[in-house]
Amino acid sequence: MNLPRPSAAADWDLSAEEALHRRRVQRMLVVGGGVMAVAAFWWGGYFAVQGAWLLVAVDVLIFATGVAVVGLAWRAQLRAASLLILPVLLMVLTFQALLLDAPTAIAPRSVHLYLLPLAVFALVALRHEKPWLAFGAPVLCLALFLVFSATQASWEMGFQLPDAMRLWGTWINAVFAVSTLFVMLYILQTDASPLTARQIELRKALARGQLVLFYQPQVDAERGVVGAEALVRWRHPTRGLVMPGEFIPLAERTGLILPLGDWVLAEACRQLELWASEPALSRLVLSVNVSAAQLHQDDFVSRVIDTLQTSGVAPGRLRLELTESVLVEDLQSIAAKLAALKSQGVTLSLDDFGTGFSSLSYLKRLPLHELKIDKSFVQDLMDDGDDTIIESMLGLGRSLGLLVIAEGVETEAQWRYLRDRGCHLFQGYLFSPPLTLEAFEAYVRQPQRAALTGLELPVEGLPIQPSVG
Ligand code: C2E
Ligand code: MG
Ligand code: MG
């Protein structure tokens, strides 16, 4: 049966909901495992003093399980952690409720109160399991809770906790169990509401056309404009212009970055095509930021090529900016994708260069065209007079035969310094902040802004071969 492929927006809904769910389970596991380890540590100490070594052994097991659960949850192995904590806690709580915590005239039973937060946890964590487990586990927790609340069921054993101790234990268990229940419910609720509200708002912004591109000029050594970086902004109906730092991280966490990135790419290509008919604008190269999630899509290359073909733009006019963090994972497959894009004429820039793993081996393996020196290095340049980092970046660019662009150039002194040491291109407030489309076009149309000679950028626009995977 051929089901229709969900749209990008539906894809995003699913991944956003799933990401939230996983975060909730992870936080519950960390809280649950932590409470387990702390409680077992204290009780284990008490039983050791009393010489009840069988109970000490049980507490060591509980402590080790709690630590293992926190460790697994930390490494996002949520299913393993959930399937470990649930049976161990069910067994331990049943064992304690029957053997150590039988109600007396002085002290009621209390350890079974932990079954309530455990039921909430089971309901959330086992949501994707088979129905017998997804419903069976929480129902079993509640059934045991009912039995231990309503009966005096107990088993005799040699060791008896003193009543005074049990009385204190009742309070400690009640406070711990109710607090854990409260934290579980709090996680369930707070994780969901503000994040989803902001996600929904951002998704609507995309659908309603509230996102816009700003353009920041990139200039050559004569200050002629050779291109621009497209930077997204959100024209919020009440908050005004929202900067990408406030919503790109949310988009990345929730998967919305995929439709958002598609939109930015399509909009940038549409704009390039509009500029193609005007001599002052037709030679500009437009840089577009690409996120890791976009690059890891299986069909990333064909998406870019399709967008270029639909808009009719020469691929050499488009430059994709990747950050070093994108390259940490699966370098081989990324290098293959980038090579496929390069073969079509699209050029690639390494953004925020110097802030990540600047390893020579990957620089050599990637078909890069440009290194973009991160603005932090440009800003440090004049502050402490230390120029060795910038010089080695320029040297590296030269030896690899790459263009080098410096971002965040704010002063004449920074610009002169970089230009005199062979930096090719520059971007920063010294020349212009990111501008609206109209302001950018007006900026480039001023006769003194035209790039006269300078660097010959590769804008040849190779013909597109349709069969690219
Ligand atoms: P980036 O790609 O490193 O962009 C450069 C940032 O530096 C921009 O901030 C720009 O406005 C700012 N900048 C430019 N010149 C100067 C200067 O002289 N001094 C200083 N201090 N800053 C300068 P913006 O626009 O807030 O963008 C921040 C980041 O958001 C970008 O960093 C990029 O990582 C991300 N971003 C922006 N648009 C997009 C997009 O369409 N897609 C994706 N995936 N990320 C985007
Ligand atoms: Mg960038
Ligand atoms: Mg940057």
Side-chain angles (χ1 to χ4, degrees):
M1 188 170 58
N2 267 339
L3 292 175
R5 198 175 172 278
S7 67
D11 273 343
W12 172 68
D13 275 346
L14 278 181
S15 57
E17 164 59 21
E18 194 47 36
L20 254 181
H21 169 69
R22 285 183 63 78
R23 210 160 70 113
R24 241 180 249 148
V25 174
Q26 187 177 35
R27 293 174 67 188
M28 286 181 170
L29 281 165
V30 170
V31 171
V35 169
M36 237 174 126
V38 172
F41 184 79
W42 286 110
W43 282 112
Y46 173 77
F47 292 135
V49 172
Q50 303 296 317
W53 295 109
L54 175 65
L55 297 177
V56 173
V58 172
D59 278 314
V60 169
L61 172 78
I62 303 174
F63 179 81
T65 309
V67 171
V69 164
V70 173
L72 285 169
W74 211 262
R75 279 185 282 144
Q77 298 188 17
L78 304 186
R79 187 166 188 266
S82 305
L83 294 180
L84 173 66
I85 194 171
L86 267 163
V88 171
L89 270 184
L90 266 177
M91 273 188 309
V92 164
L93 291 176
T94 305
F95 167 85
Q96 290 193 337
L98 290 172
L99 288 174
L100 292 174
D101 200 27
T104 63
I106 308 267
R109 195 188 328 256
S110 60
V111 79
H112 68 298
L113 294 175
Y114 289 106
L115 288 163
L116 289 179
L118 194 62
V120 175
F121 169 75
L123 198 63
V124 177
L126 303 180
R127 194 172 78 171
H128 297 315
E129 300 295 333
K130 297 221 163 62
W132 68 265
L133 186 56
F135 294 106
V139 167
L140 181 61
C141 293
L142 292 178
L144 284 170
F145 175 79
L146 287 179
V147 170
F148 292 136
S149 303
T151 69
Q152 311 234 321
S154 68
W155 283 330
E156 288 297 314
M157 69 171 249
F159 180 82
Q160 281 269 304
L161 284 176
D163 268 345
M165 177 79 213
R166 293 259 341 272
L167 212 49
W168 273 111
T170 304
W171 277 104
I172 292 169
N173 282 338
V175 168
F176 259 75
V178 171
S179 311
T180 312
L181 178 63
F182 181 81
V183 173
M184 295 287 171
L185 294 174
Y186 181 81
I187 291 173
L188 204 62
Q189 193 228 277
T190 51
D191 255 10
S193 40
L195 194 63
T196 43
R198 275 165 57 210
Q199 284 170 7
I200 291 166
E201 210 190 0
L202 184 54
R203 195 183 55 164
K204 282 187 183 153
L206 188 58
R208 292 178 182 168
Q210 291 171 5
L211 296 186
V212 285
L213 289 186
F214 271 44
Y215 300 84
Q216 187 173 33
Q218 298 180 334
V219 304
D220 63 14
E222 271 78 46
R223 293 200 185 208
V225 183
V226 293
E229 176 173 9
L231 293 158
V232 68
R233 270 101 182 91
W234 178 359
R235 276 200 201 284
H236 195 282
T238 54
R239 285 162 60 201
L241 202 62
V242 182
M243 301 306 269
E246 284 187 51
F247 61 91
I248 291 284
L250 173 71
E252 280 178 340
R253 263 206 319 279
T254 57
L256 184 59
I257 195 69
L258 297 180
L260 191 155
D262 283 348
W263 177 82
V264 170
L265 193 64
E267 182 63 13
C269 288
R270 194 180 68 84
Q271 206 47 63
L272 279 168
E273 178 52 20
L274 290 174
W275 289 341
S277 55
E278 184 177 334
L281 301 165
S282 63
R283 287 179 59 85
L284 297 177
V285 173
L286 192 53
S287 294
V288 169
N289 292 286
V290 173
S291 284
Q294 287 175 270
L295 198 57
H296 286 123
Q297 287 172 294
D298 289 340
D299 58 352
F300 177 69
V301 174
S302 55
R303 273 170 188 267
V304 175
I305 302 299
D306 284 352
T307 310
L308 282 165
Q309 277 180 330
T310 310
S311 56
V313 169
R317 302 260 166 234
L318 179 68
R319 181 159 304 156
L320 300 181
E321 287 194 6
L322 324 160
T323 57
E324 285 165 296
S325 57
V326 164
L327 309 170
V328 198
E329 248 180 76
D330 204 4
L331 186 62
Q332 206 166 355
S333 113
I334 285 177
K337 286 180 187 172
L338 298 184
L341 283 169
K342 186 188 174 178
S343 74
Q344 298 294 316
V346 177
T347 55
L348 304 159
S349 177
L350 192 57
D351 200 358
D352 303 342
F353 180 58
T355 58
F357 305 80
S358 314
S359 130
L360 267 177
S361 69
Y362 81 62
L363 283 181
K364 279 184 75 172
R365 284 173 63 190
L366 294 172
L368 294 171
H369 183 85
E370 179 184 85
L371 294 181
K372 192 168 196 181
I373 300 179
D374 186 64
K375 54 180 172 288
S376 58
F377 298 102
V378 177
Q379 258 130 49
D380 286 352
L381 189 65
M382 291 302 143
D383 287 353
D384 55 13
D386 179 10
D387 50 345
T388 45
I389 298 183
I390 294 256
E391 295 214 355
S392 50
M393 287 182 182
L394 288 167
L396 193 62
R398 245 193 317 276
S399 57
L400 292 171
L402 301 176
L403 273 184
V404 181
I405 179 168
E407 71 174 0
V409 181
E410 293 181 355
T411 65
E412 290 283 345
Q414 290 166 348
W415 180 58
R416 267 198 306 276
Y417 181 94
L418 287 158
R419 189 199 52 191
D420 294 349
R421 277 157 190 79
C423 188
H424 306 108
L425 299 175
F426 312 86
Q427 179 182 339
Y429 297 161
L430 175 65
F431 316 103
S432 165
L435 300 168
T436 60
L437 175 66
E438 300 71 32
F440 174 73
E441 289 180 347
Y443 181 93
V444 180
R445 284 182 186 127
Q446 297 168 33
Q448 72 273 24
R449 306 283 184 212
L452 298 173
T453 52
L455 206 69
E456 201 47 46
L457 290 170
V459 289
E460 63 277 9
L462 300 176
I464 291 178
Q465 290 131 29
S467 60
V468 166

